[in-house]
Amino acid sequence: MAGDARTSANDPATIARERLRAAMVRLAGGDSGALEEIYTATRVKLFGICFRILGDRKEAEDALQDVYVNLWQRADRYDPTRASPISWLATFARNRAIDRLRTGKVRGGAVPVEEANPLPDQAPLADSLLVDAENAAQIHTCLSALDANTQGHIRGAFFDGYTYAELAEAADVPLGTMKSWIRRGLQKLRACLEASEAS
């Protein structure tokens, strides 16, 4: 049992989450340097959330900028005892994107406001694969070891903000098939990352 706890504590995702939590606490205390660390660790996931809601890359980029500006002003609202940092930031990003929807100035492609709030986060491993800049290079190395199609689907879902449904439509396959492809690809990616940690 102690071995399991030790393994969990040394797990890259656990370490990254703790670093992010510590950076959030430092930011709340006025450490401006912590903002860059938070940005590096979270920008891909938060951009994906904004993009899924707003349906436009430029709008999503603008919303993402709003997220970090507002985060600087409101970091003291984060309570590490109530939520993981990435869950809190994801909610924060979703709210910023919905605020932009409510202005009514967002271009076509956005979801209706009433559908945006419960919009599922279709990046299920974003929290467990949360990494800092140091580990990002290893993710790309492991990604490049996957076959081109799987690599493209995972990049589309986790780096470019596409939903599984959009990827399935583009590949002309059923949604369930696309989910299976990505799930198998993520299993291989995780195995590669774990092997690199062990070596």
Side-chain angles (χ1 to χ4, degrees):
M1 211 63 169
D4 290 347
R6 201 160 45 245
T7 301
S8 174
N10 291 329
D11 174 62
T14 301
I15 292 168
R17 269 194 297 274
E18 288 309 313
R19 282 182 182 165
L20 181 57
R21 184 176 280 111
M24 290 285 289
V25 171
R26 291 198 334 264
L27 183 64
D31 179 357
S32 59
L35 186 61
E36 185 176 349
E37 188 177 334
I38 294 165
Y39 173 79
T40 299
T42 62
R43 69 184 187 278
V44 172
K45 178 178 175 66
L46 301 189
F47 174 80
I49 291 169
C50 294
F51 185 77
R52 278 192 290 277
I53 292 173
L54 296 167
D56 179 273
R57 187 165 295 277
K58 177 71 170 70
E59 291 288 348
E61 287 168 355
D62 289 348
L64 190 65
Q65 185 174 357
D66 287 350
V67 167
Y68 292 107
V69 169
N70 279 273
L71 176 60
W72 171 242
Q73 298 165 339
R74 302 182 186 184
D76 59 339
R77 296 187 184 186
Y78 171 63
D79 181 353
T81 65
R82 297 187 62 185
S84 76
I86 196 65
S87 297
W88 188 82
L89 287 166
T91 301
F92 196 72
R94 185 175 283 116
N95 291 343
R96 294 267 66 77
I98 291 170
D99 287 347
R100 291 184 77 82
L101 275 185
R102 289 193 175 120
T103 67
K105 297 176 185 173
V106 177
R107 293 184 277 277
V111 299
V113 172
E114 61 274 9
E115 290 178 23
N117 221 8
L119 192 72
D121 180 358
Q122 299 198 33
L125 291 187
D127 188 23
S128 60
L129 286 180
L130 178 67
V131 290
D132 56 19
E134 194 178 307
N135 290 329
Q138 188 57 45
I139 282 194
H140 289 288
T141 299
C142 287
L143 261 176
S144 65
L146 300 174
D147 68 83
N149 279 341
T150 303
Q151 190 181 139
H153 300 325
I154 290 176
R155 286 186 189 280
F158 294 94
F159 293 89
D160 299 328
Y162 292 105
T163 65
Y164 288 177
E166 288 168 337
L167 291 169
E169 186 177 348
D172 196 24
V173 297
L175 177 59
T177 300
M178 178 58 65
K179 287 182 176 179
S180 295
W181 286 353
I182 292 177
R183 188 167 54 248
R184 283 198 296 270
L186 288 171
Q187 287 168 348
K188 290 177 183 175
L189 182 62
R190 184 188 293 278
C192 174
L193 289 169
E194 288 173 351
S196 70
E197 278 299 314
S199 60

